[in-house]
Amino acid sequence: MTTIKSRLTILIATILLTACGQNTAQSATKATAATQSTPTTEQQSNSEVVAALQNNLAKSEVGIKPIAAYATAMPDIFWVNFDDAPAMFTDKTGSYLIQGQIVKLGQPDIQDIGADAIANIAKQSLANIDSSEMIIYPAKGKKQAAVYVFTDPTCSYCQKLHKEIEQITAGGIEVRYLAWPRAERDIPLVESIWCSTDRKAALTAAKQGQTINSTTCDNPVKRHKSLGLQLGVSGTPAIFTESGRQIGGYLPASELIKAATSN
């Protein structure tokens, strides 16, 4: 019989291996609705909640480590970042883990409280990434906005998005790629891209199915992967604006430009 503990382990593993197809335009629609709410999450992590949750996880022999807990718009519910595990919700006593979407009703614009929590964390975390760690495609002409894109070269939707990079940058959008290999087997390929002397050429070639050979180097791939998990990334591409809002999933170039400039 499958135990709750083993189901939790399977859940975490499943989220880590989510196919890129999950982040499609449908995901973007949900994210767009969430952008209509006003962020209310406190940016200061609650150390007492982290300690309580860690204690309960240890008692239940669940091997994941919480690193931060942020208050949400729902009373006594916190958004928790873990070390190398997907972000989830917990209560103020750290006795429960909740995986999924929590929305606040009562107004015409439904508020996704998880989106609020992620946006506050993402805005600061993404801004702190050194430009040398990213593969950047500058906007052509006047820059209107920038987006951060967690990408996996083996993902079909990432490949589709990359084919439209010229249209996106021509629309005044700077694209900042971060590494997010969906599975362990993808890590060597992604690290080879980030260790290449010409990262852009290597990324394009990899997304066309070509083999990439590169020497090993000190690279940010695992840091990017960990950050993505903390921000709730479960598939690729995962697109964030400079405000920290996740606007997709794959979006056609015209829709991406519109979403990037309005968030």
Side-chain angles (χ1 to χ4, degrees):
M1 180 179 294
T2 304
T3 65
I4 293 176
K5 187 191 304 181
S6 62
R7 289 201 297 272
L8 178 59
T9 302
I10 293 170
L11 169 65
I12 293 170
T14 300
I15 296 172
L16 293 177
L17 294 173
T18 301
C20 68
Q22 178 174 328
N23 276 351
T24 60
Q26 183 177 3
S27 301
T29 301
K30 294 180 180 178
T32 301
T35 63
Q36 297 172 348
S37 62
T38 302
T40 58
T41 304
E42 299 174 5
Q43 295 192 25
Q44 186 67 36
S45 173
N46 189 310
S47 59
E48 292 182 0
V49 172
V50 172
L53 179 58
Q54 180 63 79
N55 183 52
N56 287 324
L57 287 167
K59 289 179 179 178
S60 296
E61 299 179 351
V62 177
I64 56 175
K65 179 182 178 181
I67 58 177
Y70 301 92
T72 70
M74 185 174 181
D76 299 332
I77 295 296
F78 293 77
W79 177 258
V80 184
N81 291 339
F82 295 89
D83 184 16
D84 291 330
M88 288 179 268
F89 294 100
T90 191
D91 68 307
K92 69 176 181 179
T93 69
S95 300
Y96 301 89
L97 279 178
I98 308 164
Q99 194 276 323
Q101 220 177 6
I102 299 179
V103 298
K104 182 180 180 181
L105 306 175
Q107 297 180 0
D109 295 331
I110 295 175
Q111 179 183 350
D112 180 343
I113 68 171
D116 285 345
I118 293 171
N120 285 324
I121 300 166
K123 180 179 180 180
Q124 181 176 353
S125 299
L126 293 170
N128 287 339
I129 300 175
D130 192 279
S131 60
S132 65
E133 289 192 8
M134 299 180 282
I135 300 177
I136 299 176
Y137 287 78
K140 296 178 181 178
K142 184 179 179 181
K143 175 184 169 184
Q144 302 294 329
V147 292
Y148 297 87
V149 182
F150 288 90
T151 191
D152 180 332
T154 68
C155 162
S156 60
Y157 280 99
C158 294
Q159 295 165 359
K160 188 173 182 179
L161 178 69
H162 195 64
K163 289 179 181 178
E164 300 174 17
I165 199 75
E166 292 294 325
Q167 296 169 254
I168 296 168
T169 54
I173 306 301
E174 178 174 288
V175 178
R176 303 168 180 174
Y177 277 122
L178 293 94
W180 210 82
R182 292 171 294 147
E184 286 290 327
R185 65 177 180 272
D186 299 321
I187 292 177
L189 172 61
V190 179
E191 288 184 334
S192 292
I193 294 169
W194 255 258
C195 288
S196 297
T197 54
D198 188 339
R199 290 178 176 175
K200 288 183 179 179
L203 180 65
T204 298
K207 289 190 175 185
Q208 293 174 347
Q210 300 178 33
T211 301
I212 305 299
N213 295 311
S214 178
T215 57
T216 58
C217 69
D218 181 23
N219 63 79
V221 172
K222 291 184 179 179
R223 292 196 297 275
H224 290 182
K225 175 73 175 185
S226 179
L227 174 60
L229 289 173
Q230 293 172 27
L231 301 183
V233 173
S234 61
T236 53
I239 308 171
F240 290 79
T241 65
E242 290 178 285
S243 68
R245 291 290 179 182
Q246 184 174 0
I247 56 175
Y250 165 78
L251 291 172
S254 59
E255 293 183 26
L256 191 156
I257 293 168
K258 182 178 179 181
T261 53
S262 61
N263 287 275

